[in-house]
Amino acid sequence: MKLSKLYPLFFLAGGLSLLLSACSAPEPTTLKDAYAGKFLIGAAINTHISSGRDTASIRVLRAEFNSVTPENCMKSENLQPEKGVFFFDDADQYVKFGEENGMTVIGHCLIWHSQAPEWFFTDENGQDVSREELIQRMKDHITTVVSRYKGKIKGWDVVNEAILDDGSWRESKFYQIIGEDFIQLAFEFARTADPDCELYYNDYSMANEGKRTGVVNMIKNIQAQGVQVDGIGMQGHCGLKFPDLNEFEKSLTAFSGLGCRVNITELDFTVLPGFDPSVGADVAASFEYQQSLNPYADGLPEAVESQLYSRYKDLFGLLLKHQDKIDRVTLWGITDDASWRNDWPIKGRTDYALLFDRNYQPKPVVKELVNLANNSPR
Ligand code: GLA
């Protein structure tokens, strides 16, 4: 065939490819867009953000995230500082802020031994209340709070941190006074208050073998009582060496095997020395400040930065591999300066745990995480 006869065909093929490239959508450039259809990208927010004051963080939040968790304002010491006296101003503002910004709004956390008011467990003489009384207090608290936000909150962390790293029960007041069934009761009260809300169990150090086994057994037990647990939150307070991602994967798979969705609920990576995995994320842990334990006050050396980015990429690679099991990955904060890591377990340090720097700029790894998602099958 003469070449000239093929000209119209060349013309057609060229035209088609032009048309296709014009029609194909540009690749997403933000975290929430790149991970859309895989899992939500959330952030814990404080009241500076939910009140609208921290406009720089709000800009980042709106651009990059599509879910919010309240850092503190929904903990029981904040919501019910005195028996029967509820303080809802900050929580209402948080929910309104989330709704107005089109975020998936998460509730955190109903029953937790920490950041609970003293009165919750004691009578007027300072003695432990009876099992019946503590159950009633739990019921009142959960019913009041969950009903107030019925239909507005997608899912609640119902119980936080009930199992220790070795798999045994934490000797919390809830456990000591009520016994193992406090978890089951808490889920039942929450389910009654909002039957359509997702209900989660949330804990730290979930990659530990002991914790994994303890949590799996506890969930199996309550499932056997007919209680539905919709999701398990793996907090994800990590370090450069901890946890071992193979162990993290084993837990993720084990939790999903229980018929629960998995959420990574409080992700951050400390780069600071002295991080002892045995304290997990126990907020009560506290060590004395030493200059040598705060080595990056003037900036993060490139070598450490690249370790940090590798850890983020490795974890997100794993999460993408298991995207069918995961609904949400929430970072515990937006920018480094607002991270609790600067003050825990040692006060007054400079950490670099999150994805956005102290100038509200994305770290270079954000682009790499976006690319990871763009290159992963949808
Ligand atoms: C725990 C809690 C969170 C938060 C973090 C640290 O993991 O679940 O609410 O307090 O500790 O800030």
Side-chain angles (χ1 to χ4, degrees):
M1 193 188 294
K2 270 192 171 170
L3 197 59
S4 62
K5 290 214 166 153
L6 290 175
Y7 283 169
L9 275 181
F10 291 151
F11 207 67
L12 198 69
L16 256 178
S17 81
L18 262 180
L19 194 71
L20 276 178
S21 61
C23 290
S24 64
E27 290 221 305
T29 55
T30 64
L31 287 167
K32 69 167 188 208
D33 291 342
Y35 285 84
K38 300 176 186 303
F39 37 77
L40 295 170
I41 300 286
I45 61 172
N46 56 32
T47 48
H48 298 292
I49 295 179
S50 49
S51 64
R53 291 196 297 276
D54 182 355
T55 51
S57 292
I58 292 171
R59 264 197 297 280
V60 180
L61 180 75
R62 285 190 182 131
E64 302 281 347
F65 297 86
N66 48 19
S67 173
V68 284
T69 299
E71 189 169 358
N72 285 308
C73 72
M74 283 185 157
K75 291 172 179 167
S76 59
E77 69 176 8
N78 299 67
L79 281 180
Q80 200 183 169
E82 286 171 51
K83 187 169 184 304
V85 181
F86 284 84
F87 174 75
F88 283 121
D89 294 7
D90 290 345
D92 286 357
Q93 194 170 55
Y94 158 75
V95 173
K96 186 161 173 267
F97 173 88
E99 286 187 316
E100 284 176 355
N101 286 285
M103 303 274 160
T104 296
V105 182
I106 302 300
H108 169 87
C109 48
L110 295 168
I111 296 298
W112 187 27
H113 66 277
S114 183
Q115 293 184 256
E118 204 57 39
W119 69 261
F120 215 106
F121 311 102
T122 48
D123 63 17
E124 55 290 351
N125 304 317
Q127 301 299 309
D128 279 0
V129 289
S130 65
R131 170 181 151 91
E132 290 64 37
E133 177 62 19
L134 188 53
I135 291 175
Q136 188 60 48
R137 290 181 183 189
M138 234 175 47
K139 184 175 184 183
D140 292 344
H141 184 77
I142 294 175
T143 308
T144 308
V145 174
V146 175
S147 315
R148 185 174 184 93
Y149 302 112
K150 188 167 186 255
K152 294 172 182 249
I153 289 212
K154 168 82 184 307
W156 271 103
D157 288 331
V158 179
V159 176
N160 201 24
E161 303 176 357
I163 302 291
L164 294 178
D165 286 4
D166 64 2
S168 63
W169 286 89
R170 178 188 295 279
E171 292 280 335
S172 70
K173 286 288 177 194
F174 292 109
Y175 177 77
Q176 287 173 346
I177 299 174
I178 300 178
E180 289 180 15
D181 58 343
F182 85 88
I183 302 218
Q184 175 187 336
L185 290 164
F187 272 81
E188 284 170 357
F189 298 147
R191 180 69 68 204
T192 306
D194 185 352
D196 298 326
C197 188
E198 291 182 358
L199 303 181
Y200 316 126
Y201 176 74
N202 193 51
D203 213 328
Y204 62 74
S205 296
M206 293 287 245
N208 283 10
E209 192 184 349
K211 178 88 88 173
R212 171 165 66 239
T213 310
V215 170
V216 165
N217 290 339
M218 181 273 286
I219 298 285
K220 276 188 178 160
N221 280 340
I222 63 171
Q223 286 175 330
Q225 309 298 316
V227 172
Q228 183 183 323
V229 178
D230 299 301
I232 298 189
M234 301 177 70
Q235 290 186 2
H237 293 297
C238 303
L240 295 181
K241 302 215 161 55
F242 174 84
D244 174 341
L245 292 189
N246 293 320
E247 294 300 311
F248 194 93
E249 182 172 28
K250 283 186 201 163
S251 298
L252 206 165
T253 316
F255 299 150
S256 165
L258 295 166
C260 301
R261 303 296 296 163
V262 178
N263 296 315
I264 312 305
T265 52
E266 305 187 15
L267 184 60
D268 52 24
F269 282 94
T270 181
V271 298
L272 295 177
F275 178 70
D276 173 1
S278 70
V279 299
D282 182 349
V283 288
S286 167
F287 303 100
E288 210 171 298
Y289 181 89
Q290 291 170 38
Q291 192 65 46
S292 63
L293 295 176
N294 187 23
Y296 311 130
D298 298 325
L300 195 59
E302 255 175 52
V304 185
E305 201 169 61
S306 86
Q307 281 181 61
L308 171 69
Y309 297 168
S310 297
R311 290 287 280 162
Y312 263 113
K313 283 185 286 182
D314 291 347
L315 180 66
F316 270 78
L318 180 69
L319 301 178
L320 281 167
K321 176 176 163 198
H322 291 286
Q323 56 183 276
D324 59 321
K325 306 174 180 64
I326 299 172
D327 285 342
R328 173 171 51 92
V329 176
T330 290
L331 278 293
W332 202 247
I334 300 173
T335 53
D336 283 341
D337 59 339
S339 166
W340 74 302
R341 290 294 200 170
N342 298 307
D343 291 309
W344 182 89
I346 298 171
K347 268 202 177 314
R349 299 195 295 172
T350 304
D351 209 338
Y352 298 81
L354 295 168
L355 290 175
F356 294 83
D357 67 21
R358 287 173 164 77
N359 296 315
Y360 304 89
Q361 296 306 308
K363 297 181 183 178
V365 70
V366 170
K367 196 162 181 208
E368 298 188 65
L369 299 182
V370 165
N371 289 341
L372 264 185
N374 287 339
N375 296 327
S376 133
R378 272 182 202 272

